[in-house]
């Protein structure tokens, strides 16, 4: 009788474990879909020229998903477009820090440093962009 009770408890525990794992996976997928939908909406605002709406939505995304690089990159593009070079540089750095393998983010960071006149960091990141070069005469 005890053996049957132990087997029944094992089944219940296994079932509970699978339910928990499934719900965690489902929650992760919902979170990913939420991020992607909001990013698409913000990008659409930006492409339509609704810069203030895009900026507002992207700032919400950076607060909710601080580990993602794309909202920071798009914010840097908005600030470059509107002439706010200090914020442009700041958000270009944040995007690059979150995804150092993305060459587009590196190019954006280099453009930000060039626009702000930060020659020291500009040279550093130009050398990263062109690994065959040993020195940059700028």
């Amino acid at each position: 009788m005890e053996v049957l009770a132990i087997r029944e408890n094992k089944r219940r525990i296994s079932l509970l474990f699978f339910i928990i794992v499934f719900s965690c996976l489902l929650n992760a997928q919902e979170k990913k879909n939420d991020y992607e939908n909001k990013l698409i909406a913000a990008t659409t605002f930006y492409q339509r020229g609704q810069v203030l709406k895009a900026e507002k939505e992207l700032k919400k995304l950076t607060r909710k998903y601080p580990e993602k690089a794309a909202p920071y990159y798009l914010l840097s593009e908005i600030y470059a477009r509107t002439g706010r070079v200090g914020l442009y540089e700041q958000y270009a750095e944040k995007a690059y820090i979150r995804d150092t393998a993305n060459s587009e983010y590196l190019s954006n960071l280099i453009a930000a440093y060039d626009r702000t006149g930060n020659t020291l960091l500009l040279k550093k990141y130009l050398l990263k962009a062109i690994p065959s070069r040993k020195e940059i005469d700028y």
Side-chain angles (χ1 to χ4, degrees):
M1 188 124 182
E2 285 183 30
V3 175
L4 291 175
I6 291 173
R7 285 184 186 166
E8 188 61 32
N9 285 338
K10 283 183 180 180
R11 287 184 190 145
R12 289 179 183 162
I13 290 172
S14 297
L15 181 62
L16 182 62
F17 175 74
F18 286 118
I19 290 171
I20 291 171
V21 168
F22 180 74
S23 66
C24 288
L25 292 174
L26 187 61
N27 187 24
Q29 184 63 35
E30 286 176 6
K31 191 172 182 180
K32 180 181 175 187
N33 289 341
D34 178 58
Y35 167 75
E36 289 173 355
N37 291 336
K38 288 181 179 178
L39 183 63
I40 289 169
T43 304
T44 304
F45 287 138
Y46 175 69
Q47 290 171 343
R48 290 181 183 162
Q50 298 171 328
V51 177
L52 293 176
K53 281 185 177 181
E55 181 181 5
K56 182 180 174 183
E57 292 301 316
L58 289 167
K59 286 200 174 208
K60 286 180 188 176
L61 277 175
T62 60
R63 285 190 294 275
K64 191 169 183 180
Y65 303 98
E67 72 281 358
K68 302 287 188 178
Y72 291 101
Y73 171 75
L74 288 171
L75 278 168
S76 72
E77 290 291 314
I78 286 172
Y79 295 136
R81 185 175 176 183
T82 57
R84 296 183 273 179
V85 292
L87 289 171
Y88 173 35
E89 181 179 327
Q90 179 184 353
Y91 280 90
E93 287 172 345
K94 288 180 179 187
Y96 180 71
I97 287 169
R98 283 158 178 78
D99 188 0
T100 58
N102 190 321
S103 61
E104 192 171 343
Y105 296 165
L106 178 59
S107 296
N108 187 42
L109 181 61
I110 289 169
Y113 287 144
D114 184 42
R115 198 156 169 196
T116 59
N118 193 338
T119 56
L120 182 66
L121 289 173
L122 176 63
K123 288 179 184 180
K124 175 184 174 182
Y125 287 100
L126 278 172
L127 288 172
K128 281 189 176 195
I130 313 167
S132 61
R133 296 283 303 261
K134 300 287 184 221
E135 188 175 325
I136 300 289
D137 297 325
Y138 192 81

